[in-house]
Amino acid sequence: MITLGDYLIVSGILFAIGFAGVLLRRNLIIILMSLELMLNAANLSLVAFSRFRVQPTGLPDYNVQVFVFFIITVAAAEVAVGLAILVALFRARQTTDLKDISSLRF
Amino acid sequence: MAVTVQRPKLNWRERMYLPAIAAGLAITIKHFKNMLFGRTKVTMQYPEEKWDSSLPDHYRGAPALVRDEEGRVRCVACQLCEFICPPRAIKIIPGEIPSTDRFAKVEKYPEEFDIDMIRCIFCGMCEEVCPEQAIFLRKDYAITGFTRADMVHHKEKLLEIGGVMHGVVLKWNEKK
Amino acid sequence: MSPFLFWIFALLMLVFGAAVVINRNPVASALSLVVSFLGLAALFMSLDAYFIGIIQVLVYAGAVMVLFLFIIMLLDLRAEEERRINWVASVGGIAVALILLIQILLVIGHFKAARQTFPPLAGSTIDDVRNVGALLFSNYNLPFQIIGVLVLVATIGVVLLSRRDPR
Amino acid sequence: MTYFFITSLLKIVGILFVVILPMVSYSVYAERRVSAFIQDRQGPNRVGPAGLFQPIADMFKLLLKEDFTPRNVNTFYYWLAPCLAVMPAIITIAVVPFGSTLFGVPMVIADINVGILYVFAIASLGVYGIVLAGWASNSKYPFLGGVRSSSQMISYELSLGLAVIPIFLLVGSLRLTSVVRYQIEHGWFIAPFIGDWMNPWKWLLAIPMVLSFVVFAIAIFAETNRLPFDLPEAEQELAGGYNTEYSSMKFALFFLGEYAAMITGSAIMVTLFFGGWHLPLPSWHGGFHWALVDGSAPGWRGVIGGLFNIATFFAKVAVVIFVFMWVRWTLPRFRYDQLMRLGWLFFFEIALVNIFIVAGIIAFLPS
């Protein structure tokens, strides 16, 4: 049988993968994607907690799912802003590599 | 010179576009309906229906050689058509008529007469120029072949298309 | 959901999640991320969170990743050329990630509630769209509206940022 | 459990191989015939009686053609793209109820409670095939087609989603079977006053419903890349757009995907606005009234009823497909900026305002 722990382990591995992506890659777009991976790992554990914390009414804890809904919304907005910054950066520097934009001056 | 195209001023009804779209849809569905009920006259369904019956008299199809009433090839190999032919589709090799022949007076006959139908442009100048009225543009229009060689009409083929022509050129007859 | 399906989708999600990080070509990374998100959506569905699962596909796979792809193509980002791998940094990065992973696993191992299996629900089918919606519009009405303002601000910010002429 | 699996499998195989795929190939044939008739031509009429075997000939032609992969393409994605183009349209059909019941089995493959959201989620995946094809071809026209497609689809998904919200405000559930049930009880959404002629609220409701239908239909046109919104594959400007570099069966898959998307879109439109499989028949059994025919009756009458519902549904879909073709062969293509302006400044706002109108009507509707 699948336990809550299995979901949490899968979520933890996904989070670690995203974390490794942020640390290892130098391409800004890949880093943004890795951030998404980490956010989704968090979502997965939240939904798992919601399902395993059944209310007295016999329903999952929907407060958590509302929270996940908010996370998804904010993440979408974050991606839009992040990509817009990326495009502005690319226009100025012709690169998306972190190494080439290490200085804050333009 | 640059010309500024004046856009027409549209009123709000025209700017909605919906009446125009509805009118367009009405037109197309009318065509569809007429076609569905067979009320539209469509183009000829070619391989089943042939053009033959409806071709006009002056139609210029494939050029062909003709025989006269006595079964003689009318062509005297004067090579005028070969000379005039704009795309140079005609090739004639003349031969001599032996003096013992009944028609020795004619002197030459076409030993070979080829028309390359890939080149022919159906202009009708050969017919125009022929002094013997030996070459005519007939009504054959579906000239096909699998190879380039197939598309060259030799003398026999030309005569087969041409058939017999009853006419007034009496050059070969004895002088009265 | 049967354990077999759970492991299939979990493996799918993890393998393609790793592919996001490993791939050199940004387009390949983005597509791997799409597959990873689809696997994640399937896991959400296995937790009876149909609404979240579908929203996951709709927002992430359908909109966010299309945006990513669009930007990658717009900027014409090709595969990165082979750079000399900075071994110290790479090994350090992997080590940090591994340490984090081990910590997470240790915490889960000591977490008693993690060993529970699926608790039964009230019915075989639950209308979770209705439940989430009811909660969203009653208890969380104010946060919901704040999120709306946030999205509006983000929209305006993106429009301003991506204008070619900032004046 | 086994029974459920077997019936589901039968439904999937039946709907896919007996209905959808023949319908796709015959809608290609129908498109050619309809366009010919509109333009006073005959269209394909050589293969079989009235050209009815044309799709089979087309299939052989496409299968036997050389499968050519240009040299400078990104091979893996070049091969992946046609597969991705077909899939979304076909798996969307899973949630559409195409009949009432047959032998007691509901005629819908997956009756999930997030039905319409599922449809939108999968439809939004449809853009990947096109974008990837454009990108992997490594050629400028396909690339322009791909980029156009992605922005067009994102723009029109908004109005598509907003246009159906009034329906779900009324129904109170995202399940497509309950949409059909609601329409059976309260009249089709395109004309809610039918059968309840004296009720002024129903007449009032008809106005936003028709608006919503118009926005939805136009957005579906844009989502399926049909003329007047076929900018991703505009033959005249982009030489075929994203499928320029494709040949043989890969091209056929794009074609298949486009028509499958059209059929799916029509099916959803029928389900949402035209009562799904519902068609009342006049009955004089105990006074004149409109009788509901479905598969719930016992014995052979139930079977006939179920089959009749399925036939009704696909007949409605066929009519909508005909309208798709009719529009395609009437209207010219939009310019790209016009398309974007229309989507963002016009339909988006109409759909938004429409939601408020319907919400207001519901708030004051005497139930």
Side-chain angles (χ1 to χ4, degrees):
Chain A
M1 284 302 284
I2 302 298
T3 60
L4 172 61
D6 293 334
Y7 280 98
L8 294 182
I9 288 169
V10 168
S11 153
I13 297 175
L14 190 65
F15 189 89
I17 289 173
F19 190 58
V22 173
L23 288 182
L24 294 177
R25 294 301 296 261
R26 285 180 302 243
N27 192 336
L28 262 178
I29 234 166
I30 308 285
I31 290 178
L32 264 180
M33 288 185 202
S34 303
L35 282 176
E36 292 304 309
L37 274 182
M38 288 158 77
L39 276 172
N40 279 293
N43 281 353
L44 179 59
S45 53
L46 281 174
V47 175
F49 280 128
S50 129
R51 174 63 181 82
F52 283 87
R53 189 159 172 268
V54 172
Q55 302 293 297
T57 51
L59 294 174
D61 190 349
Y62 281 112
N63 291 302
V64 185
Q65 293 199 12
V66 171
F67 187 41
V68 170
F69 176 80
F70 284 147
I71 292 179
I72 289 178
T73 319
V74 174
E78 169 241 317
V79 164
V81 175
L83 286 176
I85 293 174
L86 192 89
V87 171
L89 206 61
F90 190 84
R91 284 212 184 109
R93 293 312 253 310
Q94 307 301 317
T95 179
T96 57
D97 199 298
L98 268 187
K99 270 220 159 132
D100 303 331
I101 35 182
S102 50
S103 75
L104 280 174
R105 277 186 304 118
F106 268 74
Chain B
M1 194 184 75
V3 177
T4 312
V5 179
Q6 288 297 319
R7 300 269 173 198
K9 281 259 187 292
L10 303 177
N11 61 31
W12 68 270
R13 202 167 143 266
E14 286 166 327
R15 238 190 332 240
M16 289 264 290
Y17 292 114
L18 288 177
I21 288 173
L25 288 172
I27 288 174
T28 44
I29 198 72
K30 202 175 76 196
H31 279 263
F32 181 82
K33 222 170 53 207
N34 286 343
M35 189 71 201
L36 197 65
F37 297 123
R39 264 180 262 146
T40 312
K41 188 171 165 17
V42 287
T43 50
M44 184 174 285
Q45 294 300 298
Y46 168 62
E48 285 88 25
E49 302 168 37
K50 298 282 190 197
W51 274 101
D52 301 339
S53 57
S54 45
L55 285 177
D57 287 340
H58 53 269
Y59 185 80
R60 296 201 304 244
L65 292 176
V66 294
R67 293 171 190 276
D68 63 4
E69 296 92 329
E70 294 178 41
R72 269 295 305 216
V73 178
R74 271 195 181 183
C75 177
V76 296
C78 69
Q79 292 177 297
L80 269 177
C81 50
E82 186 178 3
F83 187 72
I84 199 84
C85 183
R88 299 190 180 177
I90 302 176
K91 196 181 87 186
I92 301 169
I93 296 177
E96 198 175 335
I97 298 177
S99 53
T100 52
D101 196 278
R102 191 173 142 230
F103 297 110
K105 176 172 169 287
V106 180
E107 290 177 2
K108 279 189 346 181
Y109 78 101
E111 209 163 76
E112 273 178 34
F113 196 113
D114 296 347
I115 303 183
D116 188 348
M117 292 312 293
I118 297 177
R119 293 191 139 203
C120 177
I121 57 170
F122 305 94
C123 62
M125 296 203 38
C126 42
E127 181 180 346
E128 200 82 5
V129 83
C130 186
E132 298 293 330
Q133 297 189 3
I135 186 165
F136 285 91
L137 266 64
R138 286 297 164 106
K139 292 187 176 176
D140 304 63
Y141 51 86
I143 293 141
T144 54
F146 287 109
T147 60
R148 281 165 187 274
D150 277 357
M151 294 297 287
V152 178
H153 284 178
H154 296 298
K155 194 169 134 192
E156 296 73 35
K157 172 82 178 170
L158 292 169
L159 285 167
E160 184 197 319
I161 298 173
V164 178
M165 170 67 84
H166 299 271
V168 285
V169 178
L170 305 168
K171 208 167 184 177
W172 296 349
N173 295 353
E174 298 300 324
K175 274 207 177 107
K176 297 269 164 64
Chain C
M1 189 190 256
S2 70
F4 176 68
L5 281 179
F6 168 80
W7 286 116
I8 287 277
F9 284 120
L11 215 61
L12 189 80
M13 184 183 76
L14 292 178
V15 166
F16 279 91
V20 175
V21 177
I22 293 166
N23 263 318
R24 249 171 217 296
N25 190 337
V27 174
S29 283
L31 289 173
S32 309
L33 195 52
V34 174
V35 180
S36 181
F37 283 159
L38 291 180
L40 187 62
L43 289 187
F44 284 157
M45 302 234 175
S46 78
L47 291 165
D48 294 304
Y50 296 101
F51 178 65
I52 296 293
I54 283 293
I55 285 288
Q56 172 82 14
V57 178
L58 190 64
V59 173
Y60 276 110
V64 168
M65 292 321 293
V66 176
L67 200 61
F68 264 108
L69 268 187
F70 191 78
I71 296 295
I72 291 170
M73 289 176 185
L74 188 76
L75 304 185
D76 198 21
L77 302 178
R78 298 284 155 165
E80 299 164 35
E81 70 274 27
E82 289 283 336
R83 290 204 185 203
R84 209 157 50 80
I85 299 172
N86 188 345
W87 283 108
V88 181
S90 310
V91 171
I94 292 172
V96 171
L98 273 180
I99 290 167
L100 177 80
L101 180 62
I102 290 164
Q103 277 182 338
I104 292 172
L105 293 183
L106 280 177
V107 169
I108 296 169
H110 287 287
F111 182 39
K112 288 271 178 349
R115 294 196 201 100
Q116 62 174 316
T117 52
F118 277 93
L121 290 176
S124 57
T125 56
I126 45 169
D127 196 352
D128 67 326
V129 185
R130 184 187 297 272
N131 293 331
V132 171
L135 211 54
L136 195 60
F137 288 110
S138 56
N139 285 10
Y140 297 99
N141 204 344
L142 183 67
F144 184 68
Q145 292 181 34
I146 292 172
I147 286 281
V149 175
L150 180 90
V151 171
L152 179 68
V153 169
T155 314
I156 294 169
V158 166
V159 170
L160 282 180
L161 271 173
S162 55
R163 274 221 311 217
R164 211 169 266 278
D165 183 13
R167 271 155 308 202
Chain D
M1 203 62 188
T2 337
Y3 180 69
F4 173 75
F5 272 119
I6 289 172
T7 52
S8 294
L9 201 66
L10 274 180
K11 276 187 280 188
I12 293 169
V13 170
I15 198 78
L16 194 59
F17 291 100
V18 182
V19 183
I20 297 297
L21 289 183
M23 212 162 166
V24 166
S25 47
Y26 274 92
S27 59
V28 177
Y29 164 77
E31 171 106 64
R32 293 170 67 184
R33 282 293 264 199
V34 167
S35 70
F37 276 28
I38 280 175
Q39 296 166 351
D40 293 349
R41 295 182 287 116
Q42 288 278 0
N45 60 353
R46 296 279 136 181
V47 196
L52 275 175
F53 298 149
Q54 184 71 36
I56 299 162
D58 281 350
M59 184 189 74
F60 275 111
K61 184 202 113 180
L62 283 164
L63 277 175
L64 295 177
K65 273 210 160 178
E66 185 191 357
D67 201 351
F68 183 73
T69 307
R71 194 178 51 176
N72 282 329
V73 300
N74 200 329
T75 321
F76 176 71
Y77 299 107
Y78 180 79
W79 278 80
L80 184 68
C83 315
L84 290 183
V86 198
M87 214 173 49
I90 289 179
I91 55 180
T92 311
I93 210 83
V95 294
V96 178
F98 54 89
S100 52
T101 52
L102 197 60
F103 303 112
V105 180
M107 284 291 110
V108 50
I109 294 170
D111 189 17
I112 54 177
N113 62 0
V114 282
I116 196 69
L117 280 179
Y118 171 85
V119 170
F120 290 149
I122 301 298
S124 64
L125 296 183
V127 72
Y128 283 107
I130 293 173
V131 169
L132 262 191
W135 179 77
S137 292
N138 203 3
S139 160
K140 52 185 166 264
Y141 290 138
F143 183 71
L144 276 175
V147 170
R148 277 183 177 189
S149 166
S150 63
S151 47
Q152 173 180 333
M153 283 204 170
I154 290 182
S155 312
Y156 276 84
E157 238 159 53
L158 280 174
S159 9
L160 194 70
L162 290 175
V164 295
I165 287 181
I167 288 176
F168 295 100
L169 282 179
L170 284 166
V171 178
S173 166
L174 297 182
R175 205 182 278 269
L176 286 175
T177 43
S178 31
V179 174
V180 177
R181 280 283 156 209
Y182 186 91
Q183 291 185 81
I184 292 170
E185 282 159 27
H186 298 88
W188 297 0
F189 281 125
I190 187 70
F193 44 78
I194 290 178
D196 199 3
W197 302 98
M198 289 299 120
N199 192 342
W201 288 106
K202 290 285 176 72
W203 283 92
L204 193 62
L205 198 59
I207 301 165
M209 276 308 164
V210 168
L211 261 182
S212 158
F213 169 71
V214 168
V215 174
F216 183 80
I218 290 170
I220 281 277
F221 272 94
E223 282 285 302
T224 52
N225 294 332
R226 295 281 299 181
L227 222 73
F229 303 106
D230 71 334
L231 288 136
E233 49 184 311
E235 282 90 350
Q236 289 82 8
E237 322 163 20
L238 296 185
Y242 57 86
N243 55 28
T244 306
E245 304 287 343
Y246 283 87
S247 58
S248 178
M249 208 50 214
K250 294 206 284 293
F251 172 74
L253 281 178
F254 278 117
F255 222 66
L256 208 89
E258 191 189 323
Y259 279 86
M262 189 172 81
I263 290 171
T264 312
S266 313
I268 301 223
M269 203 189 282
V270 165
T271 310
L272 291 181
F273 290 97
F274 295 99
W277 46 263
H278 173 233
L279 186 72
L281 290 180
S283 164
W284 288 268
H285 197 74
F288 178 83
H289 64 285
W290 294 98
L292 169 68
V293 182
D294 65 2
S296 58
W300 60 270
R301 289 182 53 210
V303 175
I304 299 262
L307 290 175
F308 173 74
N309 291 149
I310 294 175
T312 310
F313 180 77
F314 285 106
K316 285 181 188 176
V317 170
V319 171
V320 176
I321 288 173
F322 173 76
V323 175
F324 265 84
M325 290 170 184
W326 178 20
V327 169
R328 170 169 179 184
W329 295 100
T330 303
L331 299 180
R333 182 179 304 128
F334 276 88
R335 218 169 53 209
Y336 196 67
D337 59 321
Q338 290 173 331
L339 172 95
M340 281 300 168
R341 178 186 297 261
L342 206 64
W344 284 103
L345 299 183
F346 207 68
F347 294 135
F348 185 55
E349 274 74 5
I350 289 183
L352 267 183
V353 170
N354 208 17
I355 293 173
F356 284 99
I357 298 174
V358 174
I361 292 177
I362 292 173
F364 295 108
L365 186 73
S367 54

